[in-house]
Amino acid sequence: MKFTLSTDTVCDIFRSELRERGIGYVSTYYTIEGVEHKDEMTRDEELKEFYEKVRGGEMPTTSQVTKNDYEEFFGDLITKCEGDIVHITISSGLTTSPLFARQVAADILERTGRHIYIVDSLAATISTRLIVDEAERLRDADVPAEEAVAILEDLVNHNHTWFMPTDLMHLKRGGRVSGPSAYIGTALNIKPILRFDATGALVVTAKKIGASKGIAEMINIFKRDSAKKPHKVYIASADSEFAEIMLKKAQAARPDCEIEIAWIGPVIGSHTGCNAVGITFVSDKLRSEV
């Protein structure tokens, strides 16, 4: 029997597409212009409008999926499906939501005997999206849930994501860099390069002068570390002018891979600001080996 697949909306797959693909989802939250929204983005135009507001100086905030949210979501899901459930989450290195998911799953197992397997993507946005894609393939191939989880957890450890935020003043407004660092970095055109480490936390790995050098750094890492076998690759875009450049360079580096641009949604985009760009790919190396 096929397992049921679900995720949270930080995978940044349009909600209409998740429904078409038969993937359940629990919504995360963001607040902009003083109004809290569930992350229910389904169209390019909605995301462009969100980023235009950020460009205009709005500073969105976010809130995590709560234990109550998971109790409601999983409680409803088990009444609508049979068999096991595999749920893909945002990184536990960014939020405690995966912990809440595990607590609720354990409660449900104890009360009902129903298995809800939680897979921590140790990442977010396009990186989580790549894990969801593979989970869907395994589901449709009738791979048993427990076996699928082992495959997915191995993929998580080989899934590498690098990205470059470009608006240091947005990071300053959000309290993520100090005022002096933002002003000096902006004046010098410094672009930080970050990655998700083996624990799912974000770490700064380099600082480059100018976006072109930052993109070149990420493409060099992609060429160096991407798996020899052809695989799916995503370019992340926070409505970024650099996404097409990144796409063409990645395609030139690995013409054997399927590569496409995908949105950074409002939850992660609230933290990166506009114009951030990144790449996620599968590597033969573990994240801990980088």
Side-chain angles (χ1 to χ4, degrees):
M1 178 185 294
K2 290 182 180 179
F3 59 81
T4 295
L5 176 61
S6 64
T7 186
D8 58 52
T9 54
V10 182
C11 69
D12 289 336
I13 300 170
F14 281 156
R15 313 314 164 241
S16 53
E17 183 181 342
L18 286 172
R19 290 190 290 269
E20 288 170 2
R21 293 165 64 177
I23 302 171
Y25 65 88
V26 58
S27 293
T28 46
Y29 303 90
Y30 66 96
T31 297
I32 191 167
E33 297 178 321
V35 179
E36 184 178 72
H37 302 268
K38 280 189 171 183
D39 180 6
E40 290 283 343
M41 296 285 187
T42 58
R43 295 180 296 113
D44 292 342
E45 291 77 13
E46 292 174 294
L47 283 152
K48 287 183 177 294
E49 181 182 355
F50 169 81
Y51 282 115
E52 281 305 310
K53 290 178 180 178
V54 175
R55 282 193 175 91
E58 286 293 325
M59 190 65 231
T61 59
T62 62
S63 54
Q64 63 189 2
V65 183
T66 67
K67 189 172 182 180
N68 286 340
D69 290 329
Y70 273 119
E71 286 172 346
E72 181 179 348
F73 174 69
F74 286 146
D76 181 61
L77 192 59
I78 64 171
T79 66
K80 294 179 177 178
C81 69
E82 297 179 353
D84 296 332
I85 296 168
V86 175
H87 182 77
I88 318 295
T89 73
I90 184 177
S91 173
S92 57
L94 300 178
T95 173
T96 55
S97 288
L99 173 62
F100 297 148
R102 291 187 190 280
Q103 289 173 344
V104 174
D107 290 343
I108 288 174
L109 177 61
E110 186 176 350
R111 287 189 289 105
T112 69
R114 297 286 298 278
H115 284 276
I116 301 175
Y117 296 94
I118 307 301
V119 177
D120 184 346
S121 72
L122 296 177
T125 191
I126 57 167
S127 192
T128 305
R129 182 185 187 120
L130 190 147
I131 304 301
V132 173
D133 289 347
E134 176 63 7
E136 179 186 26
R137 186 191 70 79
L138 295 169
R139 178 199 66 184
D140 293 349
D142 286 331
V143 175
E146 194 168 4
E147 181 181 341
V149 167
I151 294 169
L152 294 171
E153 288 178 342
D154 181 68
L155 176 59
V156 164
N157 291 322
H158 287 86
N159 185 15
H160 294 219
T161 301
W162 302 76
F163 75 97
M164 177 181 71
T166 64
D167 186 352
L168 297 185
M169 300 312 293
H170 177 88
L171 299 180
K172 180 191 81 70
R173 290 193 298 271
R176 298 173 192 103
V177 299
S178 68
S181 294
Y183 288 117
I184 293 169
T186 299
L188 297 178
N189 199 22
I190 293 174
K191 308 301 181 188
I193 308 298
L194 297 87
R195 72 178 180 93
F196 284 104
D197 69 10
T199 70
L202 281 172
V203 293
V204 178
T205 62
K207 295 178 182 178
K208 297 296 179 179
I209 305 297
S212 294
K213 289 184 178 178
I215 290 169
E217 173 76 2
M218 290 187 287
I219 292 298
N220 285 337
I221 291 167
F222 172 54
K223 287 192 288 189
R224 181 193 73 196
D225 290 345
S226 57
K228 293 181 176 63
K229 184 178 179 180
H231 58 278
K232 185 66 176 282
V233 176
Y234 283 113
I235 305 297
S237 173
D239 201 24
S240 178
E241 64 184 291
F242 305 116
E244 287 289 345
I245 297 170
M246 189 87 164
L247 174 66
K248 289 176 182 177
K249 288 182 179 295
Q251 289 172 330
R254 288 294 305 267
D256 58 326
C257 289
E258 180 186 354
I259 309 175
E260 68 177 76
I261 296 171
W263 282 102
I264 296 174
V267 170
I268 301 303
S270 293
H271 300 279
T272 66
C274 300
N275 229 18
V277 66
I279 187 167
T280 193
F281 57 89
V282 178
S283 175
D284 294 324
K285 297 179 181 179
L286 294 169
R287 288 197 210 179
S288 58
E289 296 174 332
V290 175

